[in-house]
């Protein structure tokens, strides 16, 4: 039955991961400050939510999927959507610092910083240093 609905085990896994990302994005959006907040407040809200210890298992899972997707891209045909799906949401939250509504550069930068810090935090467990790195990035946003 699963093969009929999804075509393959890998397509089933891809569908589950896409749904997990969708649900995570919804929960994140619900936890963020109001739209009128500064880019720094949005960034800190994202980091606080996604970097919370209770989400560490999910962060590890998605990091493993990302790594496997690099080694076996044929198994993850929609992997790029894991990044690009966030462009609209992040573009809206950070519109104060974007050059326009079609900007994908700013969401790419925000995603890169968050993902890099998450990878660092997950790998080293050094919350103090990764929090300070986020503080430094926030300082850069103000200039």
């Amino acid at each position: 039955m699963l093969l009929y609905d999804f075509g393959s085990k890998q397509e089933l896994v891809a569908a589950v991961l896409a749904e997990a990302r969708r649900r995570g994005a919804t929960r994140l959006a619900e936890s963020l400050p109001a739209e009128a907040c500064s880019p720094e407040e949005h960034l800190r809200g994202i980091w606080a939510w996604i970097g919370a210890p209770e989400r560490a298992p999910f962060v590890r899972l998605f990091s493993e999927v990302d790594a496997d997707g690099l080694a076996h891209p044929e198994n993850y045909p929609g992997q790029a959507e894991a990044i690009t799906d966030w462009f609209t949401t992040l573009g809206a939250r950070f519109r104060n610092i974007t050059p326009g509504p079609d900007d994908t550069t700013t969401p790419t930068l925000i995603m890169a910083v968050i993902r890099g810090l998450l990878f660092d935090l997950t790998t080293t467990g050094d919350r103090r240093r990764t929090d300070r790195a986020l503080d430094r990035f926030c300082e850069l946003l103000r200039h």
Side-chain angles (χ1 to χ4, degrees):
M1 187 64 155
L2 290 176
L3 286 180
Y4 177 78
D5 288 336
F6 294 97
S8 71
K9 175 185 169 187
Q10 209 51 44
E11 290 178 73
L12 168 64
V13 170
V16 168
L17 291 171
E19 179 61 17
R21 280 194 309 270
R22 187 194 66 74
R23 289 180 185 191
T26 299
R27 287 185 185 114
L28 171 61
E30 291 168 354
S31 74
L32 289 178
E35 291 286 332
C37 290
S38 71
E40 180 178 344
E41 289 169 309
H42 285 302
L43 188 59
R44 288 184 186 285
I46 291 169
W47 178 245
W49 187 85
I50 205 162
E54 63 269 18
R55 280 182 254 306
F58 297 105
V59 170
R60 267 190 227 88
L61 170 67
F62 285 109
S63 294
E64 290 172 17
V65 169
D66 289 343
D68 193 49
L70 291 173
H72 306 285
E74 68 280 3
N75 292 334
Y76 303 92
Q79 188 65 8
E81 293 167 4
I83 306 252
T84 59
D85 282 350
W86 289 90
F87 285 178
T88 301
T89 301
L90 291 175
R93 294 288 178 168
F94 292 93
R95 68 178 165 264
N96 298 1
I97 59 172
T98 63
D102 296 327
D103 175 41
T104 58
T105 304
T106 303
T108 298
L109 178 59
I110 299 297
M111 285 284 299
V113 169
I114 294 294
R115 289 175 73 137
L117 289 174
L118 281 172
F119 181 79
D120 189 318
L121 176 61
T122 302
T123 302
T124 68
D126 192 340
R127 177 160 302 277
R128 184 171 176 265
R129 185 175 47 78
T130 53
D131 284 350
R132 285 192 350 246
L134 183 79
D135 291 342
R136 179 67 179 120
F137 186 66
C138 287
E139 287 173 21
L140 295 171
L141 282 179
R142 286 185 234 131
H143 298 291

